[in-house]
Amino acid sequence: MSADVQVPYADLHAQYLSIKHDIDGAIAEVIRSSAFIRGPYVDRFEQEFATSVGVGNCVSCANGTDALYIAMSALGLAAGDEVITTAHSWISTSEAITQAGGRVVFCDTDRDTYTIDVTRLESLLTSRTVGVIPVHLAGQPADMDAIMAFAHRHGLWVIEDCAQAHLARYKERQVGTFGAAATFSFYPGKNLGAMGDAGAVVTNDPALARRMAIFARHGGLQKGEHEIEGINSRLDGLQAAVLSVKLRHLPDWTIMRQRIAARYDELLGEVDGIGTPVLAADREHVYHLYIIRHERRDALAAHLKTAGVQTSINYPIALPFLPAYRRFGHVPADFPNAHANQSRILSLPLFAEMTERQVMHTVESIRSFCR
Ligand SMILES: Cc1ncc(COP(=O)(O)O)c(C=O)c1O
């Protein structure tokens, strides 16, 4: 095991260097034209992104959390309305429900895929349920057939949280095309990341797109004409120009991520005590995260840190058990899978520019722990 190899969890600088000429040119162009807020770069990116997802409309905004808030507000979420979402995600998914006036109803995750456990959905339904927010966690699509069937049966809307799943596919169909709307984050470390905060919500419904754009822009599309009270949530011109450049590389970067994930699968599959990601049937995983499981996760993470390998835990406390949701009084038995996974999961370094040497060093460091 060569201790001189350092493996960062992600390497945004390496990505920048690989496309430096185009990024620098795009930023210079925005500065030259002073198109900082809205303008042609934002319009262009919205069109390009809608096309890449395969939907009719994209409303850009300041971040992926706002995207959820905007979508729910435009769908008319009312005080006391219940929204079912997954127990294991980043807090944006659930906090946006509360911000929009709704009540969060957590659903346990599938033990192996970490996405919402569709077998539990019916048991969470009440007369107040209005919608479902599945998260394509780590880059693996949730079981969209089951979720859409549940939603249709009960007249609910679905918002797909695609923050970690750009270009992922369920039965050959791209995520973001199933629900009433789908939200994306372009946080710098995401598979498609800006150079700051950025987000978007997409939909095939032009009327919903219009309501979302109005809400995100102070309640009006024309300056001085406010149809409603809204918020100020903008994608800026610099981020839009950066995202347009990066979007062109996203398919290749996704393939590179999938190759590294396949290499990890191959090399770690037989290692004693390591659980590698489980891919459900008919899903194309884009590996925003490569999550392994181990009974002694914290000791493994400490060992890897000593070996120069950075890891991350996504997420160490499942949402219902966070102090933020103490008011619900949930106990581990309410969400057995999320509870069991939260202490075992570990995300390994994975980025398109990762070298074979870095992959091997990570694998060898894990092997030396498991021996
Ligand atoms: C699953 C999920 N939803 C929502 C978000 C929110 O995105 P942002 O950080 O852009 O607000 C994130 C980003 O971390 C996420 O991972």
Side-chain angles (χ1 to χ4, degrees):
M1 197 170 68
S2 49
D4 57 324
V5 185
Q6 293 295 311
V7 191
Y9 181 66
D11 191 344
L12 296 181
H13 192 64
Q15 185 193 64
Y16 166 63
L17 291 180
S18 74
I19 51 170
K20 182 177 184 313
H21 180 264
D22 289 350
I23 292 284
D24 291 356
I27 289 174
E29 199 182 310
V30 178
I31 294 173
R32 235 186 340 265
S33 64
S34 299
F36 297 122
I37 300 294
R38 293 241 36 107
Y41 305 103
V42 174
D43 290 345
R44 183 181 68 189
F45 175 70
E46 286 181 340
Q47 276 178 12
E48 290 170 349
F49 192 66
T51 304
S52 95
V53 177
V55 289
N57 310 271
C58 168
V59 176
S60 61
C61 61
N63 54 65
T65 312
D66 278 5
L68 287 158
Y69 177 43
I70 291 163
M72 276 183 274
S73 302
L75 281 164
L77 195 74
D81 284 351
E82 293 180 5
V83 179
I84 301 172
T85 195
T86 176
H88 213 166
S89 179
W90 177 241
I91 192 167
S92 299
T93 316
S94 50
E95 73 184 352
I97 296 170
T98 311
Q99 281 161 10
R103 185 176 187 278
V104 183
V105 176
F106 289 116
C107 180
D108 200 11
T109 48
D110 176 72
R111 196 183 73 98
D112 291 325
T113 63
Y114 314 118
T115 55
I116 197 163
D117 180 355
V118 295
T119 66
R120 292 174 197 253
L121 288 173
E122 290 286 350
S123 69
L124 299 170
L125 191 80
T126 74
S127 58
R128 304 300 314 260
T129 311
V130 296
V132 189
I133 306 185
V135 179
H136 305 306
L137 200 82
Q140 168 150 222
D143 187 351
M144 290 314 297
D145 277 356
I147 293 163
M148 294 312 294
F150 169 71
H152 284 143
R153 254 193 322 274
H154 303 291
L156 313 175
W157 49 251
V158 173
I159 299 174
E160 295 172 72
D161 183 339
C162 303
Q164 304 189 359
H166 312 73
L167 302 188
R169 286 173 177 272
Y170 176 88
K171 295 192 175 169
E172 304 292 316
R173 183 168 157 193
Q174 205 159 304
V175 300
T177 61
F178 291 86
T183 61
F184 288 84
S185 166
F186 308 119
Y187 179 83
K190 296 293 193 241
N191 288 19
L192 176 63
M195 291 182 154
D197 273 318
V201 49
V202 301
T203 179
N204 268 321
D205 177 349
L208 178 61
R210 187 171 186 281
R211 291 202 301 279
M212 295 194 295
I214 286 174
F215 184 74
R217 294 194 225 160
H218 293 295
L221 298 180
Q222 302 301 325
K223 200 168 181 184
E225 292 176 19
H226 308 279
E227 298 177 26
I228 55 166
E229 285 183 325
I231 59 168
N232 176 13
S233 184
R234 298 167 175 142
L235 173 72
D236 66 69
L238 286 167
Q239 300 306 338
V242 164
L243 286 167
S244 281
V245 171
K246 290 196 180 188
L247 184 58
R248 299 201 286 270
H249 298 276
L250 185 60
D252 286 345
W253 288 340
T254 303
I255 291 168
M256 282 146 104
R257 282 181 171 277
Q258 289 167 332
R259 280 194 193 136
I260 293 163
R263 191 91 181 105
Y264 272 147
D265 283 348
E266 176 193 335
L267 296 165
L268 293 173
E270 301 298 306
V271 178
D272 224 19
I274 298 289
T276 52
V278 175
L279 190 59
D282 297 317
R283 322 279 163 103
E284 185 181 339
H285 196 320
V286 293
Y287 296 99
H288 173 58
L289 308 171
Y290 187 93
I291 302 177
I292 59 167
R293 276 192 290 213
H294 193 276
E295 291 297 323
R296 292 173 53 231
R297 185 268 316 278
D298 291 339
L300 172 60
H303 173 85
L304 291 175
K305 191 171 175 204
T306 310
V309 177
Q310 280 178 15
T311 57
S312 166
I313 300 170
N314 306 87
Y315 300 92
I317 304 178
L319 295 170
F321 311 125
L322 288 169
Y325 296 107
R326 198 170 281 143
R327 65 183 184 277
F328 294 148
H330 288 309
V331 294
D334 296 337
F335 307 97
N337 293 335
H339 188 261
N341 283 329
Q342 68 179 16
S343 58
R344 294 179 173 84
I345 51 174
L346 186 67
S347 304
L348 297 185
L350 199 163
F351 45 96
E353 301 75 17
M354 202 172 172
T355 62
E356 172 69 9
R357 198 158 172 247
Q358 288 174 316
V359 172
M360 286 311 298
H361 181 66
T362 304
V363 168
E364 284 306 325
S365 306
I366 293 170
R367 280 186 182 146
S368 75
F369 178 82
C370 295
R371 261 199 278 275

